[in-house]
Every structure is written in C-alpha cells, then in structure tokens.
Amino acid sequence: MDHIDRVLLAQLQQDATQSYAALGQAAGLSAGAAHERVRKLRERGVIRRTTIEVDPAAVGSAVLAYVLVDSTSWMGDSADAFAALPEVLEAHIIAGSASVLVKARTATTEQLQDVLRRIYAIDGVSGTQATVVLETFFERPLSPQAADET
C-alpha cells in the first residue's frame, strides 16, 4: 500500500458513497484510476465491505455494554455461539483474567440482562462482568496512516 491507497481509504471511511471522480480528485488521480485502485484494494481484502454508520439510539439500541466473559475451558471454538446473539456486535478472544470480550447493544438494561443470561448459557462460560457505557466521547475508524506513523 502506498500513500495514494491510504488517501483513498481515508476518503472512503469519511464517506463511502463518494464518486470515483471525487475520490480521484482527493488522491490526484483520474476517476478511472481511482476506481481501479479501489477495485484492487477490495481484491486484496484491504477493503472488506462497504457499510453505513447508524445512530444506535435512533434505532432503539442506546444501551452499550462491554462484557468480560469468564470460562472453564478454551473459548476459541465458541465464535458461532456468540455470533448467534444478534445484540452482540463484537466478540474477541483475549489474554488476561477473562477469556472473551464482547461488545453488546440493547434498547434497555432489562434486555442487556437477558443477553447476559444467554451468554452465560454458552457452553464453557462460567461468568460475566458487564460494564455499561454512560457516554461515548468518540469512536473513530482505523487510520489508514497508522502503519506509517509508528
């Protein structure tokens, strides 16, 4: 990846609906060259998908919680069980005192309690510790410049 690819990625993260002409202008390319670069980024798996950002509160998912999941066994084979819970947005095997870190969104704390019950029912789970987010200062996408700055 070169500087132009990183500019294209940054632009797409700001607004994935931009025309190739606008992308090309930002990167100093023609629309066709920008299109070809983006196509290659997709082929290489750098761009995994194109999506939109939704306001969680506007769609009834205002309660955000991070859940540390304790286990009695290796949880590396439990991805499908966590993915089966629609309120679970992310699940990560982690190092430390817990085995899995889960990010979940619900409409109410009662619904969060139900999600915790369903997580607890996953084979191997021995406990959970939830931290409810009161306010989010910011969330940012991965910077395509990060690799160059280290």
Side-chain angles (χ1 to χ4, degrees), residues 26-120:
L29 300 172
S30 68
H35 182 261
E36 183 65 16
R37 287 276 191 136
V38 170
R39 184 187 64 75
K40 287 179 180 178
L41 288 167
R42 287 184 195 283
E43 284 179 357
R44 293 191 342 243
V46 175
I47 298 173
R48 296 190 304 201
R49 64 185 175 151
T50 302
T51 186
I52 61 169
E53 185 176 335
V54 175
D55 177 0
V59 294
S61 294
V63 178
L64 170 61
Y66 291 91
V67 182
L68 291 170
V69 179
D70 299 321
S71 67
T72 57
S73 60
W74 171 247
M75 298 299 293
D77 299 324
S78 61
D80 290 343
F82 286 102
L85 304 175
E87 300 89 350
V88 172
L89 304 178
E90 299 176 14
H92 309 273
I93 296 291
I94 60 170
S97 60
S99 299
V100 178
L101 175 64
V102 169
K103 178 180 179 181
R105 278 202 177 270
T106 61
T108 65
T109 55
E110 292 81 11
Q111 288 175 348
L112 176 59
Q113 187 175 6
D114 180 59
V115 171
L116 295 174
R117 276 193 212 98
R118 288 184 280 141
I119 289 172
Y120 200 88

Side-chain angles (χ1 to χ4, degrees), residues 4 7-12 14-35 38:
I4 292 173
V7 168
L8 291 170
L9 289 174
Q11 289 294 314
L12 287 168
Q14 288 177 16
D15 180 2
T17 65
Q18 292 182 68
S19 68
Y20 288 113
L23 288 170
Q25 184 176 19
L29 300 172
S30 68
H35 182 261
V38 170

